[in-house]
Amino acid sequence: MYSRASARAQALATSKVAPRCKSTRAAPLRTSGGRAVPRAAALQKASASTALQRAAPTAAPMKAPTKAATRSKSMAAASVAPASTWLTTRALPNDLGEIHIVSSGLLESDTPGNGGLRVWNYADKAAATKEAEGLAVAMSAKHKTYNTGFAGAKVVCAADKPVADWTAADRETLLDATASLLEELDGAMYTGCDMNTTPAMMQSLHDRCGGRYVLAALANETCCPNTATAAGVLGAVTACVDGDVRGKTFVVHGCGGVGGAVAAGLVELGAASVKTVDLDLKRAAIPGCEVLDPEAKWWAVDCDALVPCSASGVLTAERASELICRSVVGASNLPFASVEARRVAEARCVVAPEGVTSAGAVIVDSIEHYAPLNFREAPPSKVYDFTFEAVRAKTDELLAAAAADGVSPTVAIPLVEEADPRRIGERYSSWLATDARDRVGGFLQE
């Protein structure tokens, strides 16, 4: 029987997007399926074994939150400038910039922080700080929503010169400094790929750390974290358009490793129209897609879902005021330039937050870390199907909770934090015992 799951796997397999993945080794699928004050300088210099604070004992069970309590709890996750805890900041030699490891809360080796290494040339230090904090909190939402076994954190290198001007020696300097920081944190932080970092860089960082502290699908060279993220985004898009993309219209902004796979997957799954936007017009020229002028008002195109897969902050308040899409499905981290921009968008359409919709890579990290044997042996299609179903089911749950409570999906995120005590990587192991292609209703329905 040709199932929807196998159709998804085939879509990702035949999309001709595998080479777009940051991992040049990834093969096409061939099988189915108000800011806190930084910690004291002494803490920054201390090793993690003595410096990291331990989490408080678990409190007694609480009553179900009220609508007001839910809204209050959610505001930090909804903001792009939340309170954060700086673990450490270090200047790079040769005036390359600074590395920040930022967390949205306390970290410890039992629940380590997890977030990719991003390298970016920011306008100023304040801009770098703002984005680093926002990214850490966005990661926290992902980890809590799916119970990955990790805490929200991010490694951000604020480069003092354009990244395109970096030499191979500059990148080696960055990796040396990052490895030193990860070693000091002694298992309380794991990182992986993000903007301007590659699987090859992660392999080198992994080697510098003695085979520890890096999660980038290194143990399974056939699995691509970008494609897994795309599979999750496709699941979220499906939930936002009533369960079926066929006959619908979509705009995908940014056609890199994730966006390219999303666009191609939508075409293969039967979307009526997929419009792509990228500063690199060749990258946007995906078979079956209509390329839009990146200088035109791509955000004001009438569509069922706008899927931002590019840099942070592309949707300003002004652009949000011109949206005529039915939904915005976050794929990139922090697609809105400000809290105001997000609220303007929420007044015009459904905004499915990236803390829920763009979790494919952290789901893969959880599998890689907590079910390593299954991950090493996993056909990519199984991982992608699992991710699709996990994110689709969670997005369905989020939209229903938001509607029932009369709040936006962003505000409702705490209502759908995963209650299953098993980490999602551990749930993947039990899910494998069933035939994913024949499941109905998503993997969460045991």
Side-chain angles (χ1 to χ4, degrees), residues 64-144:
T66 63
K67 184 187 301 185
T70 298
R71 183 178 293 106
S72 176
K73 182 180 178 183
S74 300
M75 281 303 103
S79 172
V80 296
S84 297
T85 300
W86 286 94
L87 292 184
T88 190
T89 299
R90 181 163 297 173
L92 290 169
N94 306 323
D95 295 322
L96 285 178
E98 288 184 334
I99 300 177
H100 306 296
I101 296 184
V102 191
S103 113
S104 61
L106 302 179
L107 301 182
E108 58 181 351
S109 57
D110 290 341
T111 308
N114 173 268
L117 169 57
R118 172 171 295 201
V119 185
W120 194 252
N121 180 218
Y122 294 93
D124 50 43
K125 187 171 182 178
T129 298
K130 178 181 178 181
E131 181 161 296
E133 292 179 328
L135 290 169
V137 170
M139 293 302 298
S140 180
K142 295 180 185 182
H143 292 306
K144 290 180 179 180

Side-chain angles (χ1 to χ4, degrees), residues 6 34 67 129 151 190 208 213 235 251 376 381 395 406 411 443:
S6 60
K67 184 187 301 185
T129 298
Y190 284 75
R208 282 171 163 82
Y213 316 142
V251 174
R376 285 195 297 269
S381 61
T395 305
V411 171
F443 83 99

Side-chain angles (χ1 to χ4, degrees), residues 65 191 255 302 329:
T191 194
C255 299
D302 188 5
V329 184

Side-chain angles (χ1 to χ4, degrees), residues 22 117-121 163 171 194-198 201:
K22 291 180 182 177
L117 169 57
R118 172 171 295 201
V119 185
W120 194 252
N121 180 218
V163 182
R171 289 189 288 274
D194 201 275
M195 293 178 66
N196 294 312
T197 53
T198 67
M201 292 174 67

Side-chain angles (χ1 to χ4, degrees), residues 146 363 385-395 424 443-444:
Y146 293 94
I363 292 173
D385 271 348
F386 178 79
T387 302
F388 179 101
E389 292 297 343
V391 179
R392 182 204 56 76
K394 189 62 73 172
T395 305
I424 195 165
F443 83 99
L444 292 176

